[in-house]
Amino acid sequence: MFNALYLTQEGKATRAQLRAMDEAELPAGDVDVRVEWSTINYKDALAVTGKGAIVRKWPMVPGIDLAGTVEASGSPDWKPGDRVVVTGWGLGETRWGGLAQKARLESRWLLAVPAAFDTRQAMSVGTAGFTAALCVRALAKHGVKPGEGEVLVTGAAGGVGSIAVAILGGMGYTVVASTGRPAQADYLKGLGAARIIDRAELSSPGKPLQSERWAGVVDTVGSHTLANACAQARWYGAVAACGLAQGGDFPATVMPFILRGVTLYGINSIQNPNDERREAWELIARHVDAGKLEAMTGEIGLSEAVAFCPRLLEGNVRGRTVVDVNR
């Protein structure tokens, strides 16, 4: 038996409960993992509260991230005792996820926990950190270099934003952190931000082409914020879009793209090949030390997850939240 957060659909309502489950209920897979840590991401909170169409197969164990130890393996690539991390691959959406004490998974989804991290730290990173690293890689591959202008991070006090600030700061970029929480200024500067701006500067409708400000942008917010970030990007600048905290709309024009040569990169962190995943995790390990990870990480138990999710959706949570599935 093991404990899991279990979602069912009753009519159009989602019911979330902590439930004791039998291993016979686990889905098909060739590797069994004893989960030690999971996380609560924005997508998880939408799934648990039923406020977003995240779950596509019912019933569901939510949680798009997990880290733990292999207990049994039918794959030559993994053996009992291996420390592994899994993010994405449809966990918490079409496949049972990490908010449980046990998971049965396909071996191709697993990555070894980087030597620099333990399983708790791997979940401090999780999908949020992996996404942030993909955004930074897109900017670097585009040619955005440290010392060549400011790089904007929107939603900077959130999970993706916090790790993006830390990676960029660690690489030597001049980071401008946009947040609606001015009380988090010292926190963001501690992660590597050079200065802080109020999100109100970006969140309202703006002109289609504005004064040049940003050599690069990591946007976790979408909507008018993303449109303004593009409108303010410098000649041949790059914008990496990975979130929709303000909204999924994009009320923009083609002006920044055809008049300044701005490039907009869409960042997906679900189905990425493992080589790309390893490179992203290595980037994080090089530039985000244990102290910065700890500074951005809160912790709850699995029994607290349902009550915690509305707080995350309301924007009242800083950085990352790891879940101890054993309490």
Short mmCIF file of all heavy atoms in Angstrom, two decimals, residues 230-267:
data_model
loop_
_atom_site.label_atom_id
_atom_site.label_comp_id
_atom_site.label_asym_id
_atom_site.label_seq_id
_atom_site.Cartn_x
_atom_site.Cartn_y
_atom_site.Cartn_z
N CYS A 230 7.94 42.02 -26.28
CA CYS A 230 8.35 41.96 -27.69
C CYS A 230 8.49 43.35 -28.28
O CYS A 230 9.45 43.63 -29.03
CB CYS A 230 7.33 41.15 -28.49
SG CYS A 230 7.28 39.38 -28.11
N ALA A 231 7.55 44.24 -27.96
CA ALA A 231 7.58 45.59 -28.50
C ALA A 231 8.78 46.39 -27.99
O ALA A 231 9.20 47.35 -28.63
CB ALA A 231 6.28 46.31 -28.15
N GLN A 232 9.33 45.99 -26.84
CA GLN A 232 10.47 46.70 -26.25
C GLN A 232 11.81 45.99 -26.50
O GLN A 232 12.86 46.48 -26.08
CB GLN A 232 10.27 46.83 -24.73
CG GLN A 232 9.08 47.70 -24.36
CD GLN A 232 8.80 47.68 -22.87
OE1 GLN A 232 9.53 47.10 -22.07
NE2 GLN A 232 7.70 48.32 -22.47
N ALA A 233 11.78 44.86 -27.18
CA ALA A 233 13.02 44.13 -27.46
C ALA A 233 13.89 44.92 -28.44
O ALA A 233 13.39 45.62 -29.33
CB ALA A 233 12.71 42.76 -28.03
N ARG A 234 15.20 44.78 -28.27
CA ARG A 234 16.14 45.48 -29.14
C ARG A 234 16.21 44.83 -30.51
O ARG A 234 15.70 43.74 -30.73
CB ARG A 234 17.52 45.49 -28.47
CG ARG A 234 17.58 46.39 -27.26
CD ARG A 234 18.82 46.19 -26.41
NE ARG A 234 20.03 45.94 -27.20
CZ ARG A 234 21.25 45.89 -26.69
NH1 ARG A 234 21.43 46.08 -25.40
NH2 ARG A 234 22.29 45.66 -27.45
N TRP A 235 16.90 45.54 -31.42
CA TRP A 235 17.14 44.96 -32.76
C TRP A 235 17.71 43.55 -32.62
O TRP A 235 18.67 43.32 -31.91
CB TRP A 235 18.12 45.83 -33.54
CG TRP A 235 17.47 46.98 -34.26
CD1 TRP A 235 17.20 48.21 -33.77
CD2 TRP A 235 17.00 46.96 -35.61
NE1 TRP A 235 16.59 49.00 -34.73
CE2 TRP A 235 16.46 48.25 -35.88
CE3 TRP A 235 16.98 46.00 -36.63
CZ2 TRP A 235 15.91 48.59 -37.09
CZ3 TRP A 235 16.43 46.35 -37.87
CH2 TRP A 235 15.91 47.63 -38.09
N TYR A 236 17.10 42.61 -33.35
CA TYR A 236 17.53 41.21 -33.39
C TYR A 236 17.57 40.56 -32.01
O TYR A 236 18.30 39.61 -31.78
CB TYR A 236 18.89 41.07 -34.11
CG TYR A 236 18.84 41.59 -35.52
CD1 TYR A 236 19.54 42.73 -35.89
CD2 TYR A 236 18.03 40.96 -36.47
CE1 TYR A 236 19.47 43.22 -37.18
CE2 TYR A 236 17.96 41.46 -37.77
CZ TYR A 236 18.67 42.59 -38.12
OH TYR A 236 18.59 43.07 -39.40
N GLY A 237 16.76 41.09 -31.10
CA GLY A 237 16.65 40.50 -29.77
C GLY A 237 15.85 39.21 -29.81
O GLY A 237 15.25 38.84 -30.83
N ALA A 238 15.82 38.52 -28.66
CA ALA A 238 15.13 37.24 -28.57
C ALA A 238 14.23 37.23 -27.33
O ALA A 238 14.62 37.72 -26.26
CB ALA A 238 16.13 36.10 -28.48
N VAL A 239 13.06 36.65 -27.51
CA VAL A 239 12.09 36.52 -26.43
C VAL A 239 11.72 35.04 -26.32
O VAL A 239 11.29 34.44 -27.31
CB VAL A 239 10.83 37.36 -26.69
CG1 VAL A 239 9.81 37.16 -25.57
CG2 VAL A 239 11.19 38.83 -26.85
N ALA A 240 11.88 34.46 -25.12
CA ALA A 240 11.50 33.07 -24.88
C ALA A 240 10.24 33.05 -24.04
O ALA A 240 10.23 33.52 -22.90
CB ALA A 240 12.62 32.33 -24.17
N ALA A 241 9.15 32.54 -24.61
CA ALA A 241 7.85 32.54 -23.94
C ALA A 241 7.52 31.14 -23.44
O ALA A 241 7.56 30.17 -24.20
CB ALA A 241 6.76 33.01 -24.90
N CYS A 242 7.19 31.05 -22.13
CA CYS A 242 6.96 29.72 -21.56
C CYS A 242 5.76 29.67 -20.61
O CYS A 242 5.53 28.62 -19.99
CB CYS A 242 8.21 29.24 -20.82
SG CYS A 242 8.62 30.25 -19.37
N GLY A 243 5.01 30.76 -20.45
CA GLY A 243 3.94 30.74 -19.46
C GLY A 243 2.78 31.64 -19.82
O GLY A 243 2.83 32.41 -20.78
N LEU A 244 1.72 31.55 -19.00
CA LEU A 244 0.50 32.32 -19.27
C LEU A 244 -0.17 32.76 -17.98
O LEU A 244 -1.39 32.77 -17.87
CB LEU A 244 -0.47 31.50 -20.13
CG LEU A 244 -0.69 30.01 -19.85
CD1 LEU A 244 -1.31 29.72 -18.50
CD2 LEU A 244 -1.50 29.39 -20.97
N ALA A 245 0.64 33.17 -16.99
CA ALA A 245 0.07 33.56 -15.70
C ALA A 245 -0.90 34.73 -15.84
O ALA A 245 -1.88 34.82 -15.10
CB ALA A 245 1.19 33.92 -14.73
N GLN A 246 -0.63 35.64 -16.78
CA GLN A 246 -1.57 36.75 -17.02
C GLN A 246 -2.68 36.33 -17.97
O GLN A 246 -3.81 36.80 -17.86
CB GLN A 246 -0.84 37.98 -17.58
CG GLN A 246 -1.77 39.19 -17.73
CD GLN A 246 -1.05 40.42 -18.30
OE1 GLN A 246 0.11 40.38 -18.65
NE2 GLN A 246 -1.77 41.53 -18.38
N GLY A 247 -2.36 35.46 -18.90
CA GLY A 247 -3.38 34.99 -19.85
C GLY A 247 -2.74 34.30 -21.03
O GLY A 247 -1.56 34.48 -21.32
N GLY A 248 -3.52 33.51 -21.73
CA GLY A 248 -3.03 32.79 -22.90
C GLY A 248 -3.15 33.57 -24.19
O GLY A 248 -2.74 33.08 -25.25
N ASP A 249 -3.68 34.78 -24.12
CA ASP A 249 -3.80 35.60 -25.32
C ASP A 249 -2.47 36.28 -25.63
O ASP A 249 -1.58 36.36 -24.78
CB ASP A 249 -4.90 36.65 -25.14
CG ASP A 249 -4.67 37.57 -23.95
OD1 ASP A 249 -4.17 37.08 -22.92
OD2 ASP A 249 -4.98 38.78 -24.04
N PHE A 250 -2.35 36.76 -26.86
CA PHE A 250 -1.13 37.45 -27.29
C PHE A 250 -1.55 38.66 -28.13
O PHE A 250 -1.53 38.62 -29.36
CB PHE A 250 -0.24 36.49 -28.09
CG PHE A 250 1.07 37.09 -28.52
CD1 PHE A 250 1.81 37.91 -27.67
CD2 PHE A 250 1.59 36.82 -29.78
CE1 PHE A 250 3.02 38.45 -28.06
CE2 PHE A 250 2.80 37.34 -30.19
CZ PHE A 250 3.52 38.17 -29.33
N PRO A 251 -1.96 39.76 -27.47
CA PRO A 251 -2.51 40.92 -28.17
C PRO A 251 -1.40 41.81 -28.74
O PRO A 251 -1.15 42.91 -28.26
CB PRO A 251 -3.30 41.64 -27.07
CG PRO A 251 -2.57 41.28 -25.81
CD PRO A 251 -2.04 39.90 -26.01
N ALA A 252 -0.75 41.32 -29.78
CA ALA A 252 0.42 41.99 -30.34
C ALA A 252 0.24 42.22 -31.83
O ALA A 252 -0.76 41.81 -32.43
CB ALA A 252 1.66 41.15 -30.09
N THR A 253 1.23 42.86 -32.44
CA THR A 253 1.29 43.02 -33.89
C THR A 253 2.58 42.38 -34.39
O THR A 253 3.44 41.97 -33.61
CB THR A 253 1.27 44.50 -34.30
OG1 THR A 253 2.56 45.08 -34.01
CG2 THR A 253 0.18 45.27 -33.56
N VAL A 254 2.73 42.35 -35.69
CA VAL A 254 3.96 41.81 -36.28
C VAL A 254 5.11 42.82 -36.27
O VAL A 254 6.22 42.48 -36.67
CB VAL A 254 3.71 41.32 -37.72
CG1 VAL A 254 2.69 40.20 -37.72
CG2 VAL A 254 3.30 42.47 -38.63
N MET A 255 4.84 44.04 -35.81
CA MET A 255 5.84 45.10 -35.93
C MET A 255 7.21 44.75 -35.35
O MET A 255 8.24 44.96 -36.01
CB MET A 255 5.31 46.40 -35.28
CG MET A 255 4.06 46.95 -35.92
SD MET A 255 4.31 47.39 -37.66
CE MET A 255 2.74 48.19 -38.01
N PRO A 256 7.31 44.24 -34.12
CA PRO A 256 8.65 43.94 -33.60
C PRO A 256 9.40 42.91 -34.44
O PRO A 256 10.63 42.94 -34.53
CB PRO A 256 8.37 43.40 -32.20
CG PRO A 256 7.01 43.88 -31.85
CD PRO A 256 6.27 43.92 -33.14
N PHE A 257 8.67 42.02 -35.07
CA PHE A 257 9.29 40.92 -35.80
C PHE A 257 9.75 41.34 -37.20
O PHE A 257 10.80 40.90 -37.67
CB PHE A 257 8.31 39.75 -35.87
CG PHE A 257 7.70 39.43 -34.53
CD1 PHE A 257 6.34 39.62 -34.31
CD2 PHE A 257 8.48 38.99 -33.47
CE1 PHE A 257 5.78 39.35 -33.08
CE2 PHE A 257 7.91 38.71 -32.24
CZ PHE A 257 6.57 38.90 -32.03
N ILE A 258 8.97 42.20 -37.85
CA ILE A 258 9.34 42.57 -39.22
C ILE A 258 10.12 43.88 -39.29
O ILE A 258 10.78 44.14 -40.29
CB ILE A 258 8.10 42.63 -40.14
CG1 ILE A 258 7.15 43.75 -39.72
CG2 ILE A 258 7.38 41.29 -40.14
CD1 ILE A 258 6.01 43.98 -40.70
N LEU A 259 10.03 44.71 -38.24
CA LEU A 259 10.76 45.98 -38.27
C LEU A 259 12.05 45.95 -37.45
O LEU A 259 12.96 46.75 -37.72
CB LEU A 259 9.86 47.12 -37.76
CG LEU A 259 8.62 47.40 -38.62
CD1 LEU A 259 7.84 48.58 -38.05
CD2 LEU A 259 9.01 47.70 -40.08
N ARG A 260 12.15 45.06 -36.48
CA ARG A 260 13.38 44.96 -35.68
C ARG A 260 14.02 43.58 -35.75
O ARG A 260 15.06 43.35 -35.15
CB ARG A 260 13.09 45.30 -34.21
CG ARG A 260 12.94 46.79 -33.95
CD ARG A 260 12.99 47.10 -32.46
NE ARG A 260 12.64 48.48 -32.22
CZ ARG A 260 11.95 48.91 -31.18
NH1 ARG A 260 11.52 48.05 -30.26
NH2 ARG A 260 11.68 50.20 -31.05
N GLY A 261 13.38 42.65 -36.41
CA GLY A 261 13.97 41.32 -36.50
C GLY A 261 13.95 40.55 -35.20
O GLY A 261 14.77 39.65 -34.98
N VAL A 262 13.02 40.89 -34.30
CA VAL A 262 12.91 40.19 -33.03
C VAL A 262 12.44 38.76 -33.28
O VAL A 262 11.61 38.51 -34.15
CB VAL A 262 11.92 40.93 -32.09
CG1 VAL A 262 11.65 40.13 -30.82
CG2 VAL A 262 12.46 42.32 -31.75
N THR A 263 12.98 37.82 -32.51
CA THR A 263 12.59 36.41 -32.61
C THR A 263 11.87 35.99 -31.35
O THR A 263 12.34 36.24 -30.24
CB THR A 263 13.82 35.51 -32.81
OG1 THR A 263 14.49 35.88 -34.02
CG2 THR A 263 13.42 34.05 -32.90
N LEU A 264 10.72 35.35 -31.53
CA LEU A 264 9.94 34.82 -30.42
C LEU A 264 10.07 33.30 -30.40
O LEU A 264 9.69 32.63 -31.36
CB LEU A 264 8.47 35.23 -30.55
CG LEU A 264 7.49 34.69 -29.50
CD1 LEU A 264 7.88 35.13 -28.09
CD2 LEU A 264 6.06 35.11 -29.83
N TYR A 265 10.62 32.78 -29.30
CA TYR A 265 10.79 31.33 -29.14
C TYR A 265 9.70 30.80 -28.21
O TYR A 265 9.53 31.29 -27.10
CB TYR A 265 12.15 31.01 -28.54
CG TYR A 265 13.32 31.30 -29.45
CD1 TYR A 265 14.01 32.51 -29.35
CD2 TYR A 265 13.74 30.38 -30.40
CE1 TYR A 265 15.09 32.79 -30.18
CE2 TYR A 265 14.81 30.65 -31.23
CZ TYR A 265 15.48 31.86 -31.12
OH TYR A 265 16.55 32.13 -31.96
N GLY A 266 9.00 29.77 -28.65
CA GLY A 266 8.06 29.08 -27.79
C GLY A 266 8.77 27.93 -27.08
O GLY A 266 9.44 27.13 -27.72
N ILE A 267 8.64 27.85 -25.77
CA ILE A 267 9.36 26.87 -24.97
C ILE A 267 8.39 25.83 -24.41
O ILE A 267 7.47 26.17 -23.67
CB ILE A 267 10.13 27.54 -23.81
CG1 ILE A 267 11.06 28.63 -24.35
CG2 ILE A 267 10.89 26.51 -23.00
CD1 ILE A 267 12.12 28.15 -25.32
#
